[in-house]
Amino acid sequence: MEISDCEKEIQELQKANRILKKQLERSEADRVKLEETNKKKEYLLKNVIDELEASQRKVQERSSELETTLINLQTTQDKMSALGSLVADVAHEINNPIGFIAGNLLPAQKYIHDLLSLIDTYQKCYPQPYPEIQEIMNTIDLEYVREDLPKLIGSMKEGTNRIHNISNSLRIFCRADTENKILFNLKEGIENTLMLLKHRLKANQYRPAIQVLQEYGELPLVKCFPGQLNQVLMNLLANAIDALDESNDGRSFHDINANPNFIMIKTGLDKDKNHAVIHIQDNGVGMSEHIQEKVFDHLFTTKAVGKGTGLGLSIAHKIIVEKHGGTLKVNSLLGKGTEFIVSIPIY
C-alpha cells in the first residue's frame, strides 16, 4: 500500500509539473507577445511624438513666418498711409502753380489775339512792308506762327486742366478717413479712380483703348469711409484691366479691335432702395466656379508669382462687409468675363 501510494503521489507530482511547465510556457509566450506589443506601442508612440514635434516645429516656423508677414504688412500699411498723406499734400500743392498758370493762359490768349489783330492792321495799312520787316516775317514764318500760336496756348490750357484733374483725383483718392462715416458721392469716386487708371486704359502697341461704358443711376450721397471705398474701386477696376490684358494673349490687334475690350460700370439702388449698388463688369478671361469660391480668400491669387499677393480682393471684401455692412459678390463665366457687385447701405 505504501509503494502504491508513493507511485500515485509521484504521478500526481509529475502531472502537476507538466501543468506548471505548460503554464510557464504559456506565460513565456504571453511575455514575448507582451514585449512585442510593447515594442510596437513604443515604436508607434515614438513616431507619434516625432510627428508631433515635427508639427510643432512647422507650427512655430509658420507662426514666425506669419508674424514676419504681419510686421511687413503693418510696415507697408504705415508706409502707404504716410505716402497717401504725402501724395495728398503734394497734389494740393500742385494746384497752386497750376492754378497760377491756368489763370494766366486766358489773358495770354487775349494778348496774343490783340497782337495778331495789330499785325493784321499794320499789314492792311502798309501792304508793302520795308525789306527789313519782310525779312523778319520770312525768317519767323509769320503765317505759321499766326496759325500755330493759338493752338499752342490751347494745348497748354488742356495740359494744365489735365494736371489739375489728376491732382484733384489723387487728393481725393488719398485722403485719410475719419473715425466716422461721411457722406460721399459714389460717381465722383468712380470718376476719380478712372482718371488715375487712364494710362492703363488708353491704346498701346498691343491693343486698342479699353472702352469704359458707364450707366449711372440716380444715387444719393452715401454714408461711408471714402478712402477705403476708393481702395475697393481701384482694386476692382485694376483687376478688370488685368483680366482684359490676360484675355488678349495670343490675339492680334485686329482681332481685339473686332471684339473690343470693355469695362461696364453701372450704379443704382437695390429694389428696396436701401442700398447703393455698383456693378463692374469686363469681357476678360473670366473665372471657373472653383476659383470663384476662393476669390475672396486671404492670400489666394491666380496671378503669376510677383504679380499678385492675394490681398486685394480679400481686403476689398473685408472693407465692404465688415466696415460698411454691405456685400461683395462675383459672377463669372470662364472665357466670357467677370462681374463684381458691390452693395453698401446708404445710411
Side-chain angles (χ1 to χ4, degrees), residues 22-174:
K22 288 182 180 180
Q23 288 177 344
L24 286 172
E25 289 174 357
R26 285 197 294 268
S27 296
E28 181 65 19
D30 290 342
R31 184 187 65 78
V32 171
K33 288 182 180 179
L34 184 60
E35 285 182 354
E36 291 177 353
T37 301
N38 287 337
K39 286 180 180 178
K40 289 180 181 180
K41 288 181 178 179
E42 287 176 0
Y43 177 77
L44 292 173
L45 182 60
K46 185 177 181 302
N47 286 342
V48 170
I49 291 172
D50 290 342
E51 289 177 1
L52 286 174
E53 289 177 348
S55 298
Q56 187 176 8
R57 284 194 298 270
K58 288 181 180 179
V59 169
Q60 289 175 346
E61 291 173 0
R62 184 60 176 163
S63 297
S64 179
E65 290 175 2
L66 289 174
E67 186 177 355
T68 302
T69 302
L70 184 61
I71 292 172
N72 290 337
L73 285 174
Q74 184 63 48
T75 303
T76 302
Q77 184 180 3
D78 293 341
K79 287 182 179 178
M80 293 303 294
S81 178
L83 181 60
S85 299
L86 178 61
V87 169
D89 291 340
V90 170
H92 179 73
E93 290 300 321
I94 288 175
N95 280 338
N96 293 328
I98 290 300
F100 174 77
I101 295 171
N104 284 309
L105 284 176
L106 189 61
Q109 280 182 312
K110 184 178 183 303
Y111 298 155
I112 290 168
H113 180 268
D114 292 343
L115 289 172
L116 291 176
S117 296
L118 178 61
I119 292 172
D120 289 339
T121 304
Y122 264 101
Q123 288 180 325
K124 183 178 179 180
C125 295
Y126 300 97
Q128 296 298 326
Y130 287 106
E132 293 87 347
I133 296 176
Q134 185 64 52
E135 184 180 354
I136 293 174
M137 289 171 60
N138 292 336
T139 301
I140 68 173
D141 195 352
L142 181 61
E143 291 305 316
Y144 176 78
V145 171
R146 185 198 302 275
E147 179 183 352
D148 192 59
L149 190 54
K151 295 179 181 178
L152 183 65
I153 297 298
S155 178
M156 292 172 65
K157 187 176 181 181
E158 183 179 345
T160 56
N161 288 338
R162 168 82 171 146
I163 295 173
H164 178 72
N165 290 336
I166 292 174
S167 174
N168 280 340
S169 296
L170 282 171
R171 181 174 53 84
I172 293 171
F173 183 84
C174 294

Side-chain angles (χ1 to χ4, degrees), residues 329-343:
K329 298 180 180 178
V330 59
N331 295 320
S332 185
L333 286 175
L334 193 61
K336 298 294 184 181
T338 300
E339 178 186 34
F340 285 96
I341 305 170
V342 179
S343 174

Side-chain angles (χ1 to χ4, degrees), residues 277-304:
V277 183
I278 305 171
H279 298 258
I280 298 177
Q281 180 183 359
D282 65 69
N283 62 335
V285 291
M287 292 182 283
S288 66
E289 291 184 7
H290 174 69
I291 291 178
Q292 290 180 62
E293 292 173 356
K294 297 184 176 182
V295 73
F296 298 120
D297 290 354
H298 184 66
L299 299 179
F300 176 79
T301 180
T302 59
K303 296 178 181 177

Side-chain angles (χ1 to χ4, degrees), residues 21 26 84 133 286 315 321 344:
K21 282 184 177 181
R26 285 197 294 268
I133 296 176
I315 291 174
V321 176
I344 57 174

